[in-house]
Amino acid sequence: MDIKDIKKYTQNLTILYVEDDLETIEHVSSILTSLFSTVDVAHDGELGLETYNNYYNEHNKYYDVVLTDIEMPHIN
């Protein structure tokens, strides 16, 4: 499977990426933005949960994918 095949499956999906390492956020989010229609980023667990809930309240649906670090400040 190549990148064009992957984009066929992801181009209409939304993702929330929660990571506390800023350098990792820069690298990974640049890849994610080339694959997903919507990429929202949060830098800690508390902000991730808030972003998740706000997205649902605004769109009346959940993110299609949530990619998260396990150990983070505020909330794991």
Side-chain angles (χ1 to χ4, degrees), residues 16-60:
L16 171 60
Y17 177 46
V18 187
E19 170 62 60
D20 61 330
D21 182 74
L22 297 178
E23 188 174 322
T24 302
I25 288 172
E26 284 184 39
H27 294 296
V28 175
S29 63
S30 67
I31 294 167
L32 295 174
T33 55
S34 70
L35 297 173
F36 291 87
S37 66
T38 299
V39 178
D40 291 332
V41 177
H43 63 272
D44 67 43
E46 187 173 33
L47 184 58
L49 182 58
E50 182 181 321
T51 303
Y52 181 84
N53 289 329
N54 288 342
Y55 183 86
Y56 181 80
N57 290 335
E58 291 174 17
H59 299 93
N60 200 34

